[in-house]
């Protein structure tokens, strides 16, 4: 047993982190900067990461890139296209649809979904206003048409990948919110001292970091399991990871709001952009507590 | 001890309930729509005789025992009406520190809703550490001239008046050099800019820029240097659910969440919201009953504030559990609940106060 990342995996993570640091939104105002999103789109397109799966990447590698994009609130599609590419290898400009709605749609043309053993594709229609300020949802246009079939096993494995990918986004956005709050706690002063010097604030941030670390561990197993365990077991691992990461991300983002005080409750603070992204990823391929069965190790 | 209504209380409850069957649905209860018509709701509630219940009749109140506010909050929740306007802390601040002239000039309009108010305490650099505020008021003949920047000022967009803290004596120790004023918002030296909340609501609070605003010297509330004492009165009451009336909002939302849930068993989050809300309702009954003994307001308000915050945030999590990120109203209720651990003094500050002043654990 050795559950460390390989050298190649660390390199991939660093590359994704570098791109996200350079071109992700650094403020709420940046979200409306079309010039930045244009450059971001170009850079992401050039990496080929939307086709990670058809390039033979493992669930672990998908999770690493998605996490880094979540951390810096990358606001061009990745998660949706990666899942679409897993369903229809090599397909371009495609994302996924869930519950009759296309997700992660910016610049995408089609949305794929799974119905029983059939892979369906539909054109993407008008945007629907949503909670997430970094990833858009849209209506579907016309009736979806079948473009392929999936075995039961493949469908369950795909579901596991989807649950893992959304969990990775949760971990990333939580990590980003934590960094935002930690940085603020180091500079904001009240009563002549930085607020981070008060134990009440420091402990909130320490707890949040522990939640992030727990998320890393549970997610790493689930991401590995996508390709290495029988589909049912992979899905079980993914569900555990999703529940943990979702709960942790919510708490960490709430902590980030709290540490920012009054400012944290305003639109201009990035904390709620993280929180909104976390809530959206929680609802995408959701897992209910009732789905955790007794058959666990 | 008796948790039941007295005959007078029961009669009041009946009258209120009858009025609410006709008026409860007429007003929006949340979001910008609520803020847009909050003044109208205030005036309607007051005109019908249901606002300012425990305040002096000479200023437009009803001289009723404090427990009547519980009845009001319970019935508002039951009817699905908006909560009562929360300005009791300003009434208390002005009532306790203002002279009779200021009280009779300003309390009636504040209580009947014909004049709207905001509270200009916090500044960008002075939130938790309020005593570090840097807004100045300098005497010039019969007036004071005010310079400074206030932020997170609730209702600043509709306010006619601002209860403002400013430094009048820069040489005095920081808590001693602060005075309180009643400043007219409609004047050239005052500029108000809305702030958007993270929920997207843009009419809840704003920033107030004071650049040469003037205020007549006789609109100083209390003596020079009494500003800190007034601030402590105001924030003390701002921490009490009995003063704020927020239990009505929680009660209404919990009812909606329960109605949203099919079947007999509630999801655990909603069940917890029911339990917490009931705790808070009963806590307010106890606290208001204690006021019949003349129990005064002290650091216990910080305990009440924590209980209120936990209740609101438990209800917020229940809203999220029911609606997910996709139901705009429930999402809004959740996001709004996060502000409760900040406004009126953060939860961390409440715990500091409880530890130092109630538990004797101060440094
Ligand atoms: C919805 C809303 C409405 C408001 N309405 C008004 C209003 O009408 N009028 C008005 O004057 N103000 C209003 N406020 C402002 C509110 O009172 C302040 O935001 C609050 O006091 C916190 O100050 P701050 O935002 O500067 O945060 P900071 O004081 O900078 O706090 C940041 C973080 O540090 C923590 N912290 C700071 N000092 C300590 C310490 N000593 N020990 C432990 N932890 C500490 C805080 O708990 C918080 O988590 C409102 C705020 C909100 C969110």
């Amino acid at each position: 047993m050795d559950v460390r990342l390989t050298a190649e995996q660390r390199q991939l993570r660093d590359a994704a982190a570098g791109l996200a640091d350079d071109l992700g939104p650094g403020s709420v105002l940046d979200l409306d900067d079309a010039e930045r999103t244009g450059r971001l789109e170009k850079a992401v397109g050039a990496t080929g990461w939307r086709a990670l799966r058809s390039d033979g990447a493992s669930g672990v590698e998908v999770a690493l890139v998605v996490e880094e994009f979540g951390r810096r609130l990358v606001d061009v599609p990745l998660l949706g296209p990666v899942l679409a590419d897993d369903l229809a290898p090599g397909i371009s400009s495609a994302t996924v649809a869930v519950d009759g709605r296309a997700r992660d749609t910016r610049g995408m043309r089609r949305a794929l979904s799974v119905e029983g053993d059939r892979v369906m594709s539909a054109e993407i229609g008008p945007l629907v206003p949503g909670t997430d300020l970094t990833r858009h949802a849209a209506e579907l246009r016309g009736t979806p048409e079948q473009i392929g079939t999936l075995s039961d096993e493949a469908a369950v494995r795909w579901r596991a990948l989807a649950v893992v990918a959304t969990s990775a986004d949760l971990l990333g956005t939580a990590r980003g919110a934590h960094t935002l709050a930690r940085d603020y706690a180091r500079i904001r002063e009240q009563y002549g001292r930085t607020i981070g010097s008060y134990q009440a604030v420091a402990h909130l941030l320490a707890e949040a970091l522990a939640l992030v670390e727990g998320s890393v561990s549970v997610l790493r197993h689930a991401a590995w399991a996508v390709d290495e365990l029988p589909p049912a077991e992979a899905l079980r691992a993914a569900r555990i990871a999703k529940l943990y990461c979702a709960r942790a991300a919510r708490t960490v983002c709430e902590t980030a709001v709290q540490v920012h005080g009054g400012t944290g409750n305003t639109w201009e603070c990035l904390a709620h952009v993280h929180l909104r992204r976390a809530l959206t990823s929680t609802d995408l391929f959701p897992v209910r507590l009732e789905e955790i069965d007794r058959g666990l190790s | 001890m008796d948790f039941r209504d007295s005959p007078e209380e029961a009669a009041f409850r009946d009258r209120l309930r009858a009025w609410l069957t006709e008026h409860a649905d007429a007003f929006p209860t949340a979001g910008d729509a609520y803020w847009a018509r909050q003044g109208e709701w205030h005036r309607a509630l007051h005109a019908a005789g249901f606002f300012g219940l425990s305040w002096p009749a000479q200023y437009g109140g009803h001289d009723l025992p404090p427990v009547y506010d519980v009845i009001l909050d319970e019935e508002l929740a039951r009817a699905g009406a908006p909560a009562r306007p929360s300005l009791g802390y300003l009434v208390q601040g002005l009532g306790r520190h203002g002279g009779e002239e200021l009280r009779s000039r300003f309390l009636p309009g504040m209580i009947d809703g014909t004049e709207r108010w905001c509270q200009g305490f916090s500044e960008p650099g002075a939130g938790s550490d309020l005593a570090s505020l840097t807004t100045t008021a300098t005497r010039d003949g019969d007036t004071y001239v005010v310079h400074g920047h206030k932020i997170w000022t609730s209702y600043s967009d509709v306010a006619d008046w601002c209860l403002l803290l400013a430094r009048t004596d820069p040489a005095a120790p920081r808590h001693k050099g602060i005075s309180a004023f009643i400043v007219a918002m409609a004047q050239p030296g005052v500029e108000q800019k809305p702030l958007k909340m993270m929920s997207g609501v843009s009419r809840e609070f704003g920033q107030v820029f004071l650049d040469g605003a003037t205020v007549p010297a006789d609109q100083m509330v209390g003596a020079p240097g009494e500003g800190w004492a007034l601030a402590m009165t105001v924030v003390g009451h701002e921490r009490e659910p009995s003063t704020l009336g927020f239990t009505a909002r929680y009660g209404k939302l919990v009812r909606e969440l329960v109605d949203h849930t099919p079947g007999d068993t509630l999801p655990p989050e909603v069940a917890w919201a029911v339990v917490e809300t009931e705790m808070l309702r009963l806590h307010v009954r106890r606290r208001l009953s204690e006021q019949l003994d003349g129990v005064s307001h002290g650091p216990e308000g910080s305990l009440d504030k924590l209980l209120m915050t936990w209740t609101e945030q438990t209800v917020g999590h229940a809203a999220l559990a029911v609606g997910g990120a996709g139901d705009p109203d429930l999402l809004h209720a959740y996001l709004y609940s996060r502000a409760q651990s900040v406004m009126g003094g953060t939860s961390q500050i409440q715990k500091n106060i409880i530890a130092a002043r109630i538990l004797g654990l101060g440094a």
Side-chain angles (χ1 to χ4, degrees):
Chain A
M1 187 191 319
D2 179 355
V3 306
R4 293 176 301 171
L5 300 178
T6 65
E8 295 78 44
Q9 287 167 343
R10 285 200 305 272
Q11 262 177 10
L12 177 67
R13 183 189 59 196
D14 293 347
L19 190 159
D21 285 335
D22 285 348
L23 292 169
S27 69
V28 171
L29 269 182
D30 277 357
L31 291 171
D32 298 326
D33 179 351
E35 202 256 326
R36 178 191 59 81
T37 46
R39 279 189 291 144
L40 177 61
E41 170 57 38
K42 222 166 148 195
V44 172
T47 59
W49 288 334
R50 289 177 178 146
L52 271 171
R53 288 297 272 177
S54 57
D55 282 348
S58 67
V60 173
E61 284 139 14
V62 167
L64 288 173
V65 179
V66 170
E67 179 193 334
E68 290 305 324
F69 277 30
R71 181 178 62 80
R72 283 307 306 270
L73 300 169
V74 166
D75 46 351
V76 300
L78 176 75
L79 193 150
V82 165
L83 295 178
D85 172 66
D86 189 74
L87 282 177
I91 196 167
S92 71
S93 289
T95 182
V96 289
V98 184
D99 300 330
R101 190 159 278 188
R103 313 296 173 122
D104 207 10
T105 60
R106 192 173 214 145
M108 297 290 126
R109 287 203 300 275
R110 298 176 271 193
L112 310 192
S113 55
V114 176
E115 277 175 30
D117 62 351
R118 300 182 305 161
V119 178
M120 313 297 289
S121 168
E123 252 185 76
I124 292 176
L127 285 184
V128 283
T131 301
D132 194 338
L133 305 181
T134 57
R135 291 171 304 178
H136 301 166
E139 286 170 19
L140 299 180
R141 209 194 299 277
T143 351
E145 59 178 42
Q146 185 175 353
I147 59 162
T149 49
L150 274 186
S151 68
D152 280 359
E153 289 230 321
V156 173
R157 201 178 286 291
W158 183 77
R159 181 94 193 166
L161 178 69
V163 174
V164 161
T166 51
S167 304
D169 189 72
L170 283 162
L171 165 59
T173 199
R175 200 195 276 287
H178 184 262
T179 304
L180 185 77
R182 192 268 320 261
D183 290 351
Y184 186 73
R186 283 173 164 176
I187 55 162
R188 169 72 172 170
E189 289 187 11
Q190 287 288 276
Y191 306 96
R193 284 163 51 183
T194 57
I195 57 169
S197 71
Y198 299 116
Q199 204 171 58
V201 173
H203 281 189
L204 278 178
L205 290 166
E207 285 174 15
L209 182 60
L211 292 174
V212 167
E213 288 299 323
S215 302
V216 172
S217 300
V218 76
L219 175 66
R220 193 165 291 176
H221 172 252
W224 167 84
V226 168
D227 305 295
E228 303 292 337
L229 293 184
E233 284 178 48
L235 184 55
R236 207 179 278 157
R239 284 176 171 155
I240 302 273
K242 179 81 185 248
L243 283 167
Y244 190 90
C245 291
R247 175 57 67 102
R250 189 182 79 185
T251 303
V252 174
C253 291
E254 288 176 351
T255 291
V257 170
Q258 183 66 22
V259 167
H260 282 83
T263 295
N265 283 274
T266 62
W267 190 264
E268 279 65 36
C269 179
L270 273 176
H272 78 104
V273 184
H274 285 276
L275 175 57
R276 286 164 177 275
R277 184 161 174 141
L279 298 178
T280 306
S281 287
T282 299
D283 278 7
L284 195 53
F285 305 104
V287 179
R288 289 174 300 116
L289 268 179
E290 294 79 6
E291 289 173 287
I292 300 304
D293 57 40
R294 291 166 190 267
L296 292 166
S297 56
Chain B
M1 186 183 307
D2 191 349
F3 275 87
R4 284 172 300 238
D5 288 348
S6 70
E8 296 78 29
E9 289 160 356
F12 174 85
R13 194 187 287 275
D14 286 345
R15 269 198 298 125
L16 174 57
R17 205 173 273 191
W19 185 80
L20 283 170
T21 47
E22 276 177 43
H23 297 86
D25 295 342
F27 293 90
T29 55
D32 277 334
Y34 164 72
W35 291 113
R37 296 188 58 202
Q38 200 229 18
E40 229 183 296
W41 165 240
H42 180 168
R43 291 188 293 277
L45 199 59
H46 184 270
F50 298 119
F51 188 62
L53 300 176
S54 61
W55 299 333
Q58 70 179 118
Y59 305 123
H62 293 272
D63 280 327
L64 288 167
V67 288
Y68 277 77
D69 278 334
V70 176
I71 300 177
L72 176 60
D73 293 341
E74 288 175 357
E75 293 303 317
L76 291 174
R78 187 174 174 278
R84 61 184 149 114
S86 17
L87 48 88
Y89 46 96
L90 294 180
V91 172
Q92 299 287 351
L94 185 52
R96 195 145 129 200
H97 298 271
E100 183 45 38
E101 231 162 78
L102 289 184
R103 286 203 299 258
S104 44
R105 160 65 187 88
F106 288 106
L107 282 177
M110 186 187 272
I111 291 172
D112 70 18
T114 52
E115 293 181 321
R116 314 289 302 282
W117 286 72
C118 65
Q119 173 195 331
F121 289 10
S122 303
E123 299 177 3
S128 297
D129 183 14
L130 184 59
S132 68
L133 61 87
T134 58
T135 294
T136 56
T138 316
R139 181 123 195 183
D140 179 12
D142 286 345
T143 61
Y144 279 84
V145 182
V146 186
H147 289 274
H149 177 186
K150 299 291 176 178
I151 193 167
W152 311 303
T153 315
S154 299
Y155 334 131
S156 58
D157 63 333
V158 293
D160 304 297
W161 302 103
C162 178
L163 185 62
L164 181 106
L165 293 181
R167 200 164 288 288
T168 44
D169 183 357
R174 16 186 259 148
H175 295 86
K176 301 253 163 71
I178 300 170
S179 305
F181 296 92
I182 298 172
V183 176
M185 292 291 282
Q187 59 164 306
V190 176
E191 194 196 345
Q192 185 282 134
K193 276 200 195 141
L195 268 174
K196 197 163 159 186
M197 287 189 91
M198 66 167 167
S199 61
V201 162
S202 60
R203 303 201 52 179
E204 158 102 23
F205 60 13
Q207 308 199 54
V208 180
F209 300 90
L210 302 132
D211 186 12
T214 58
V215 49
D218 59 11
Q219 279 174 218
M220 180 187 280
V221 185
E226 199 179 325
W228 186 253
L230 173 140
M232 290 305 98
T233 300
V234 170
V235 299
H237 285 275
E238 202 181 355
R239 291 167 184 165
E240 291 172 348
S242 53
T243 306
L244 295 170
F246 288 177
T247 51
R249 188 154 51 81
Y250 311 155
K252 170 180 181 292
L253 184 55
V254 166
R255 271 168 177 270
E256 286 166 6
L257 294 174
V258 169
D259 290 347
H260 243 82
T261 315
D264 290 336
T265 2
L266 295 174
E269 294 89 346
V270 178
W272 274 117
V274 170
V275 171
E276 289 268 345
T277 310
E278 186 64 358
M279 175 283 296
L280 193 68
R281 186 178 73 86
L282 295 168
H283 184 69
V284 172
R285 282 183 166 220
R286 183 179 135 223
R287 283 289 198 243
L288 288 179
S289 295
E290 284 167 359
Q291 286 182 16
L292 295 170
D293 294 333
V295 171
S296 69
H297 302 265
E300 289 75 19
S302 293
L303 292 166
D304 298 1
K305 172 84 193 314
L306 283 183
L307 293 174
M308 173 168 63
T309 299
W310 294 337
T311 299
E312 174 152 359
Q313 297 187 340
T314 302
V315 175
H317 282 153
L320 202 53
V322 170
D327 181 312
D329 290 344
L330 294 180
L331 177 73
H332 175 269
Y334 162 69
L335 290 174
Y336 192 74
S337 75
R338 304 316 305 171
Q340 191 56 59
S341 49
V342 173
M343 61 167 106
T346 70
S347 289
Q348 288 69 39
I349 295 300
Q350 307 312 323
K351 292 177 199 173
N352 287 349
I353 292 171
I354 294 163
R357 293 180 49 203
I358 300 180
L359 298 174
L361 299 172

